[in-house]
Amino acid sequence: MNLEFFIAKRLIKGAAHKISISAPIIKIAIAAIAIGVVMMLIAIATGVGLKNKIREKVAAFNGHIQIYNFDNNNSDVSVAPVSLAQDFYPEFTSVSGISHVQAVASKGGIIRTMDTFEGIIAKGVGADYNWDVFSEYLIQGRLPEYSGELNEEVLLSRLMASRLGFKVGDTFFTFFLKDDDASKIPNRRNFKIVGIYDSGFEEFDATYVFVDIRHIQRMNKWGAHQVGNFEVFLEDFDAIDEKSNEIYGSVLSTLDTQNIKNRYYRIFEWIGLFDFNIALIIGIMIIVGGINMITALLVLILERTQMIGILKALGSANWSIRKVFLYNAAYLIGIGLLWGNALGLGLLWVQHRFRLFKFPNPEEYYIDYIPVYISFPTVLVLNLGVLVLCLLMLLVPSYIITKITPVKAIKFE
């Protein structure tokens, strides 16, 4: 039998423990641990959730990694075509961890109405385009269908539709300058709006209109086997730097690659600060919870001074007695963790399910509601970390037990 654990359990279950002077202080310490866990769970879930959502939106318009001709010179529009006859298309077998590869092309144009006009980038996509990521952003109509014959269906953003006064079912003319001679009469295309999307990312919503890639191929006088660039999607975003290097090394020397972290480095530098904020909140909460537990431990030791004296008189070692109080403290921390997880995870589930809390300025965060994401391993590591760090903080104050002498302790009132 573990004597220290047995004594600690008797102290915890004893009636005197519940009506003692230390009872309110212990409750405050438990509440501090619980509130700290709630705050840490919220910080992690909202920080990671927001990072993931912003990553998803940037990747939805660009893929994780782009492969293009060197002559394009990082232009937003396709200048020099790339052949579809590539070893990595349609399946990228030479590099692991790639979920999808799609061919696209972009061309600048102007939408003209009787009252106004808007500059756009027509993004041409084909039958291989992965629309799954756009299903969440679709607010009206349906997604275009480009697997059959060439058609005039387009997907337009709500922002652009509002500026131009368009709705689902409307048709409009778009003018595209000719690449070989801008002085010639522009190419004109008539499109029909079949769907309206809203990603919340104004930088993209104010620019991109999704069209059939065959329109761009015809206007650029490309063959059916020529596209503007390839977009590569990864299974794990955290491996983007490693996979970028692998992909660059596996494609032809005439092709270049770029990932969205480098292309939109300001956005990713900004969301990188979330990790620092999360770490700061976790550190503060652990310190606050640890200080409250130290206070509770000192009160418990003071309250049990006579017991400590008796145990020492019976021959118990200092470390053995300290373990009794550390077991007691671990139990109290566990109660705090239990309540904190129940409340924190409950709040996160409600937010994930009903999206009750929203940003007052969604244009600054590219999303109107506060997204949350948390995994079981994260919760497990967080709880173990809080428990271990708090117990380590309690080792120093528990050293006071070694200074208690049996004679004075037994007489202590």
Coordinates of all heavy atoms in Angstrom, one line a residue, residues 311-374:
L311 N 3.4 12.7 12.4 CA 4.0 11.8 11.4 C 5.5 11.8 11.6 O 6.2 10.8 11.4 CB 3.6 12.2 10.0 CG 2.2 12.0 9.6 CD1 1.8 12.6 8.2 CD2 1.9 10.5 9.6
K312 N 6.1 13.0 11.8 CA 7.5 13.1 12.0 C 7.9 12.3 13.3 O 9.0 11.7 13.3 CB 8.0 14.5 12.1 CG 8.0 15.2 10.7 CD 8.8 16.5 10.8 CE 9.0 17.1 9.4 NZ 9.9 18.3 9.5
A313 N 7.1 12.5 14.3 CA 7.4 11.8 15.6 C 7.4 10.2 15.4 O 8.1 9.5 16.1 CB 6.5 12.2 16.7
L314 N 6.6 9.8 14.5 CA 6.5 8.4 14.2 C 7.6 7.9 13.2 O 7.6 6.7 12.9 CB 5.1 8.0 13.6 CG 3.9 8.2 14.6 CD1 2.6 8.0 13.9 CD2 4.0 7.2 15.8
G315 N 8.4 8.8 12.8 CA 9.5 8.4 11.9 C 9.4 8.7 10.4 O 10.2 8.2 9.6
S316 N 8.3 9.4 10.0 CA 8.1 9.6 8.6 C 9.2 10.6 8.1 O 9.5 11.6 8.8 CB 6.7 10.2 8.3 OG 5.7 9.3 8.7
A317 N 9.7 10.4 6.9 CA 10.6 11.3 6.3 C 10.0 12.5 5.8 O 8.8 12.5 5.5 CB 11.4 10.6 5.2
N318 N 10.7 13.6 5.6 CA 10.2 14.9 5.1 C 9.6 14.7 3.7 O 8.5 15.2 3.4 CB 11.3 15.9 5.0 CG 11.7 16.4 6.4 OD1 10.8 16.6 7.3 ND2 12.9 16.7 6.6
W319 N 10.3 13.9 2.8 CA 9.8 13.8 1.5 C 8.5 13.0 1.5 O 7.6 13.3 0.7 CB 10.8 13.1 0.6 CG 10.3 12.7 -0.8 CD1 10.2 11.5 -1.3 CD2 9.8 13.7 -1.8 NE1 9.7 11.6 -2.6 CE2 9.5 12.9 -2.9 CE3 9.6 15.0 -1.8 CZ2 8.9 13.5 -4.0 CZ3 9.1 15.6 -2.9 CH2 8.8 14.9 -4.0
S320 N 8.3 12.0 2.4 CA 7.1 11.2 2.5 C 5.9 12.1 2.9 O 4.8 12.0 2.3 CB 7.3 10.1 3.5 OG 6.1 9.4 3.7
I321 N 6.2 13.0 3.8 CA 5.1 13.9 4.2 C 4.8 14.9 3.1 O 3.6 15.3 2.8 CB 5.5 14.7 5.5 CG1 5.7 13.7 6.6 CG2 4.4 15.6 5.9 CD1 6.3 14.3 7.9
R322 N 5.8 15.4 2.4 CA 5.5 16.3 1.3 C 4.7 15.7 0.2 O 3.8 16.3 -0.4 CB 6.9 16.8 0.7 CG 7.7 17.7 1.6 CD 9.1 18.0 1.1 NE 9.1 18.8 -0.1 CZ 10.2 19.0 -0.8 NH1 11.3 18.6 -0.4 NH2 10.1 19.8 -1.9
K323 N 4.9 14.4 0.0 CA 4.2 13.6 -1.0 C 2.7 13.6 -0.7 O 1.8 13.6 -1.6 CB 4.7 12.2 -1.2 CG 6.0 12.2 -2.0 CD 6.7 10.8 -2.0 CE 5.8 9.8 -2.6 NZ 6.5 8.4 -2.6
V324 N 2.4 13.5 0.6 CA 1.0 13.5 1.0 C 0.3 14.8 0.5 O -0.8 14.7 0.0 CB 0.9 13.4 2.6 CG1 -0.6 13.6 3.0 CG2 1.4 12.1 3.1
F325 N 0.9 15.9 0.7 CA 0.3 17.2 0.3 C 0.4 17.4 -1.2 O -0.5 18.0 -1.8 CB 1.0 18.4 1.1 CG 0.7 18.4 2.5 CD1 1.5 17.7 3.4 CD2 -0.4 19.0 3.0 CE1 1.2 17.8 4.8 CE2 -0.7 19.1 4.3 CZ 0.1 18.4 5.2
L326 N 1.4 16.8 -1.8 CA 1.4 16.9 -3.3 C 0.3 16.1 -3.9 O -0.3 16.5 -4.9 CB 2.8 16.5 -3.8 CG 3.9 17.5 -3.5 CD1 5.3 16.9 -4.0 CD2 3.7 18.8 -4.2
Y327 N 0.1 14.9 -3.3 CA -1.1 14.1 -3.8 C -2.4 14.9 -3.6 O -3.3 14.9 -4.5 CB -1.2 12.8 -3.0 CG -0.2 11.7 -3.5 CD1 0.6 11.0 -2.6 CD2 -0.1 11.4 -4.8 CE1 1.4 10.0 -3.0 CE2 0.8 10.4 -5.3 CZ 1.5 9.7 -4.4 OH 2.4 8.7 -4.8
N328 N -2.5 15.5 -2.5 CA -3.7 16.3 -2.2 C -3.8 17.4 -3.2 O -4.9 17.7 -3.8 CB -3.6 16.9 -0.8 CG -5.0 17.2 -0.2 OD1 -5.9 17.5 -1.0 ND2 -5.1 17.3 1.1
A329 N -2.7 18.1 -3.5 CA -2.8 19.2 -4.5 C -3.1 18.7 -5.9 O -3.8 19.3 -6.7 CB -1.4 19.9 -4.5
A330 N -2.5 17.5 -6.3 CA -2.8 16.9 -7.6 C -4.3 16.6 -7.7 O -4.9 16.8 -8.8 CB -2.0 15.7 -7.8
Y331 N -4.9 16.2 -6.6 CA -6.4 15.9 -6.7 C -7.1 17.2 -6.9 O -8.1 17.3 -7.7 CB -6.8 15.3 -5.3 CG -8.3 15.2 -5.2 CD1 -9.1 14.3 -5.8 CD2 -9.0 16.2 -4.4 CE1 -10.4 14.2 -5.6 CE2 -10.3 16.1 -4.2 CZ -11.1 15.1 -4.8 OH -12.4 15.1 -4.7
L332 N -6.8 18.3 -6.2 CA -7.4 19.6 -6.4 C -7.2 20.1 -7.8 O -8.2 20.7 -8.4 CB -6.9 20.6 -5.4 CG -7.1 20.2 -3.9 CD1 -6.5 21.3 -3.0 CD2 -8.6 20.0 -3.6
I333 N -6.0 20.0 -8.4 CA -5.8 20.4 -9.7 C -6.6 19.6 -10.7 O -7.2 20.1 -11.7 CB -4.3 20.3 -10.1 CG1 -3.4 21.2 -9.2 CG2 -4.0 20.5 -11.5 CD1 -1.9 21.0 -9.3
G334 N -6.7 18.3 -10.4 CA -7.5 17.4 -11.3 C -9.0 17.9 -11.3 O -9.7 17.8 -12.4
I335 N -9.5 18.2 -10.1 CA -10.9 18.7 -10.1 C -11.0 20.0 -10.9 O -12.0 20.2 -11.7 CB -11.3 19.0 -8.6 CG1 -11.4 17.7 -7.8 CG2 -12.7 19.7 -8.6 CD1 -12.4 16.7 -8.3
G336 N -10.1 20.9 -10.8 CA -10.1 22.1 -11.6 C -10.0 21.8 -13.1 O -10.7 22.4 -13.9
L337 N -9.2 20.9 -13.5 CA -9.1 20.5 -14.9 C -10.4 19.9 -15.4 O -10.8 20.2 -16.5 CB -7.9 19.5 -15.1 CG -6.5 20.0 -14.9 CD1 -5.5 18.9 -14.9 CD2 -6.2 21.1 -15.9
L338 N -11.0 19.1 -14.6 CA -12.3 18.4 -15.0 C -13.3 19.5 -15.2 O -14.0 19.5 -16.3 CB -12.7 17.5 -13.9 CG -14.1 16.8 -14.1 CD1 -13.9 15.8 -15.3 CD2 -14.5 15.9 -12.9
W339 N -13.5 20.4 -14.3 CA -14.5 21.5 -14.5 C -14.1 22.4 -15.7 O -15.0 22.8 -16.5 CB -14.7 22.3 -13.2 CG -15.5 21.6 -12.2 CD1 -15.1 21.0 -11.1 CD2 -17.0 21.5 -12.3 NE1 -16.2 20.4 -10.4 CE2 -17.3 20.7 -11.1 CE3 -18.0 21.9 -13.2 CZ2 -18.7 20.4 -10.8 CZ3 -19.3 21.5 -12.9 CH2 -19.6 20.8 -11.7
G340 N -12.9 22.7 -15.8 CA -12.4 23.6 -16.9 C -12.6 23.0 -18.2 O -13.1 23.7 -19.2
N341 N -12.3 21.7 -18.4 CA -12.5 21.0 -19.7 C -14.0 20.9 -20.0 O -14.4 21.1 -21.2 CB -11.9 19.6 -19.6 CG -10.4 19.7 -19.8 OD1 -9.9 19.8 -20.9 ND2 -9.7 19.5 -18.7
A342 N -14.8 20.6 -19.0 CA -16.3 20.5 -19.2 C -16.8 21.8 -19.7 O -17.6 21.9 -20.7 CB -17.0 20.0 -18.0
L343 N -16.5 22.9 -19.0 CA -17.0 24.2 -19.4 C -16.4 24.7 -20.7 O -17.1 25.2 -21.6 CB -16.7 25.2 -18.3 CG -17.3 26.6 -18.5 CD1 -18.8 26.6 -18.7 CD2 -16.9 27.5 -17.3
G344 N -15.1 24.6 -20.8 CA -14.4 25.1 -22.0 C -14.8 24.4 -23.3 O -15.2 25.0 -24.3
L345 N -14.8 23.0 -23.3 CA -15.2 22.3 -24.5 C -16.6 22.4 -24.8 O -17.0 22.4 -26.0 CB -14.8 20.8 -24.2 CG -13.4 20.4 -24.1 CD1 -13.2 19.0 -23.8 CD2 -12.6 20.8 -25.4
G346 N -17.5 22.6 -23.7 CA -18.9 22.9 -24.0 C -19.1 24.2 -24.7 O -19.9 24.3 -25.7
L347 N -18.4 25.2 -24.3 CA -18.5 26.5 -24.9 C -18.0 26.5 -26.4 O -18.6 27.1 -27.3 CB -17.7 27.6 -24.2 CG -18.3 28.0 -22.8 CD1 -17.3 28.9 -22.1 CD2 -19.6 28.7 -23.0
L348 N -16.9 25.7 -26.6 CA -16.4 25.6 -27.9 C -17.3 24.8 -28.9 O -17.5 25.2 -30.0 CB -15.0 24.9 -27.9 CG -13.9 25.7 -27.2 CD1 -12.6 24.9 -27.1 CD2 -13.6 27.0 -27.9
W349 N -18.0 23.8 -28.3 CA -18.9 23.1 -29.1 C -20.1 23.9 -29.5 O -20.6 23.9 -30.7 CB -19.4 21.8 -28.4 CG -20.4 21.0 -29.2 CD1 -20.1 20.1 -30.1 CD2 -21.8 21.2 -29.2 NE1 -21.3 19.6 -30.7 CE2 -22.4 20.2 -30.1 CE3 -22.7 21.9 -28.4 CZ2 -23.7 20.1 -30.3 CZ3 -24.1 21.8 -28.7 CH2 -24.6 20.9 -29.6
V350 N -20.6 24.7 -28.6 CA -21.7 25.6 -28.9 C -21.3 26.6 -30.0 O -22.1 26.9 -30.9 CB -22.2 26.4 -27.6 CG1 -23.2 27.5 -27.9 CG2 -22.8 25.4 -26.6
Q351 N -20.1 27.2 -29.9 CA -19.7 28.1 -30.9 C -19.5 27.5 -32.2 O -19.9 28.1 -33.3 CB -18.4 28.8 -30.4 CG -17.7 29.7 -31.5 CD -18.6 30.9 -31.8 OE1 -19.5 31.2 -31.1 NE2 -18.2 31.6 -32.9
H352 N -19.0 26.3 -32.3 CA -18.8 25.5 -33.5 C -20.1 25.2 -34.1 O -20.3 25.3 -35.4 CB -18.0 24.3 -33.3 CG -17.8 23.4 -34.5 ND1 -17.0 23.7 -35.5 CD2 -18.4 22.2 -34.8 CE1 -17.1 22.8 -36.4 NE2 -17.9 21.9 -36.1
R353 N -21.1 24.9 -33.3 CA -22.4 24.4 -33.8 C -23.3 25.6 -34.2 O -24.0 25.6 -35.3 CB -23.1 23.6 -32.7 CG -24.5 23.1 -33.1 CD -24.4 22.0 -34.2 NE -25.7 21.5 -34.6 CZ -26.5 22.1 -35.4 NH1 -26.2 23.2 -35.9 NH2 -27.7 21.5 -35.6
F354 N -23.3 26.7 -33.4 CA -24.3 27.7 -33.6 C -23.6 29.1 -34.1 O -24.4 30.0 -34.4 CB -25.1 27.9 -32.4 CG -25.9 26.7 -31.9 CD1 -25.5 26.0 -30.9 CD2 -27.0 26.3 -32.6 CE1 -26.2 24.8 -30.5 CE2 -27.7 25.2 -32.2 CZ -27.3 24.4 -31.2
R355 N -22.3 29.2 -33.9 CA -21.6 30.4 -34.4 C -22.2 31.7 -33.7 O -22.6 32.6 -34.4 CB -21.6 30.5 -35.9 CG -20.9 29.4 -36.6 CD -21.0 29.5 -38.1 NE -20.2 28.4 -38.8 CZ -20.2 28.3 -40.1 NH1 -20.7 29.2 -40.9 NH2 -19.5 27.3 -40.6
L356 N -22.3 31.6 -32.4 CA -23.0 32.7 -31.7 C -22.1 34.0 -31.6 O -22.6 35.1 -31.7 CB -23.3 32.3 -30.2 CG -24.2 31.1 -30.1 CD1 -24.4 30.7 -28.6 CD2 -25.6 31.4 -30.7
F357 N -20.8 33.8 -31.5 CA -19.9 35.0 -31.3 C -19.3 35.3 -32.7 O -18.7 34.5 -33.4 CB -18.8 34.6 -30.3 CG -19.3 34.3 -29.0 CD1 -19.5 33.0 -28.6 CD2 -19.7 35.3 -28.1 CE1 -20.0 32.6 -27.3 CE2 -20.2 35.0 -26.8 CZ -20.3 33.6 -26.4
K358 N -19.5 36.6 -33.0 CA -19.0 37.1 -34.3 C -18.0 38.2 -34.2 O -18.1 38.9 -33.1 CB -20.2 37.5 -35.2 CG -21.2 36.3 -35.5 CD -22.3 36.8 -36.4 CE -23.3 35.6 -36.6 NZ -22.7 34.5 -37.3
F359 N -17.2 38.5 -35.2 CA -16.3 39.6 -35.2 C -17.1 40.9 -35.4 O -17.9 41.0 -36.3 CB -15.2 39.4 -36.2 CG -14.2 38.4 -35.9 CD1 -14.1 37.3 -36.7 CD2 -13.4 38.5 -34.9 CE1 -13.2 36.3 -36.5 CE2 -12.4 37.5 -34.6 CZ -12.3 36.4 -35.4
P360 N -16.8 41.9 -34.6 CA -17.4 43.2 -34.9 C -16.9 43.8 -36.2 O -17.6 44.7 -36.8 CB -17.0 44.1 -33.7 CG -15.8 43.5 -33.2 CD -15.9 42.0 -33.5
N361 N -15.7 43.5 -36.7 CA -15.2 44.0 -37.9 C -14.6 42.8 -38.7 O -13.4 42.6 -38.8 CB -14.0 45.0 -37.6 CG -13.1 44.5 -36.5 OD1 -13.3 43.4 -35.9 ND2 -11.9 45.1 -36.4
P362 N -15.5 42.1 -39.4 CA -15.1 40.9 -40.1 C -14.2 41.1 -41.3 O -13.4 40.2 -41.6 CB -16.5 40.3 -40.6 CG -17.4 41.4 -40.6 CD -17.0 42.3 -39.4
E363 N -14.2 42.3 -41.8 CA -13.3 42.6 -43.0 C -11.9 42.5 -42.6 O -11.0 42.3 -43.4 CB -13.6 44.0 -43.6 CG -13.4 45.2 -42.7 CD -14.5 45.4 -41.7 OE1 -15.5 44.7 -41.7 OE2 -14.3 46.3 -40.8
E364 N -11.6 42.7 -41.3 CA -10.2 42.7 -40.8 C -9.7 41.3 -40.6 O -8.5 41.0 -40.6 CB -10.0 43.5 -39.6 CG -10.2 45.0 -39.7 CD -10.0 45.8 -38.5 OE1 -9.5 45.2 -37.5 OE2 -10.2 47.0 -38.5
Y365 N -10.6 40.3 -40.4 CA -10.2 39.0 -40.1 C -10.6 38.0 -41.2 O -10.5 36.8 -41.1 CB -10.9 38.5 -38.8 CG -10.3 39.2 -37.6 CD1 -10.9 40.4 -37.1 CD2 -9.1 38.7 -36.9 CE1 -10.3 41.0 -36.0 CE2 -8.6 39.4 -35.8 CZ -9.2 40.5 -35.4 OH -8.7 41.2 -34.3
Y366 N -11.2 38.5 -42.3 CA -11.6 37.8 -43.5 C -12.7 36.7 -43.2 O -12.9 35.8 -44.0 CB -10.4 37.1 -44.1 CG -9.2 38.0 -44.3 CD1 -8.0 37.8 -43.6 CD2 -9.3 39.0 -45.3 CE1 -7.0 38.7 -43.9 CE2 -8.3 39.9 -45.5 CZ -7.1 39.7 -44.8 OH -6.0 40.6 -45.0
I367 N -13.4 36.9 -42.1 CA -14.5 35.9 -41.7 C -15.4 36.6 -40.7 O -14.9 37.4 -39.9 CB -13.9 34.6 -41.1 CG1 -15.0 33.6 -41.0 CG2 -13.2 34.9 -39.8 CD1 -14.4 32.2 -40.6
D368 N -16.7 36.4 -40.8 CA -17.6 37.1 -39.9 C -17.8 36.5 -38.6 O -18.1 37.2 -37.6 CB -19.0 37.2 -40.6 CG -19.6 35.9 -41.0 OD1 -18.8 34.9 -40.9 OD2 -20.8 35.8 -41.3
Y369 N -17.6 35.2 -38.4 CA -17.8 34.6 -37.1 C -16.4 34.1 -36.6 O -15.4 34.0 -37.3 CB -18.7 33.4 -37.2 CG -18.2 32.2 -38.0 CD1 -17.5 31.1 -37.4 CD2 -18.3 32.2 -39.4 CE1 -17.0 30.1 -38.1 CE2 -17.8 31.1 -40.1 CZ -17.2 30.1 -39.5 OH -16.7 29.0 -40.2
I370 N -16.3 33.8 -35.3 CA -15.1 33.3 -34.7 C -15.0 31.8 -34.9 O -15.8 31.0 -34.2 CB -15.0 33.7 -33.2 CG1 -15.1 35.2 -33.0 CG2 -13.8 33.1 -32.6 CD1 -15.2 35.6 -31.6
P371 N -14.1 31.3 -35.7 CA -14.0 29.9 -35.9 C -13.2 29.2 -34.8 O -12.4 29.8 -34.1 CB -13.2 29.8 -37.2 CG -12.4 31.0 -37.2 CD -13.2 32.1 -36.5
V372 N -13.5 28.0 -34.5 CA -12.9 27.2 -33.4 C -12.4 25.9 -34.0 O -13.1 25.3 -34.8 CB -13.7 27.0 -32.2 CG1 -14.1 28.4 -31.5 CG2 -15.0 26.3 -32.5
Y373 N -11.3 25.4 -33.5 CA -10.8 24.1 -33.9 C -9.9 23.6 -32.8 O -9.0 24.3 -32.3 CB -10.0 24.1 -35.2 CG -9.3 22.8 -35.5 CD1 -10.0 21.8 -36.1 CD2 -8.0 22.6 -35.1 CE1 -9.4 20.6 -36.4 CE2 -7.4 21.4 -35.4 CZ -8.1 20.4 -36.0 OH -7.5 19.2 -36.3
I374 N -10.2 22.4 -32.3 CA -9.3 21.8 -31.3 C -9.3 20.3 -31.4 O -10.4 19.7 -31.9 CB -9.8 22.2 -29.9 CG1 -8.7 22.0 -28.9 CG2 -11.0 21.5 -29.5 CD1 -8.8 22.8 -27.6

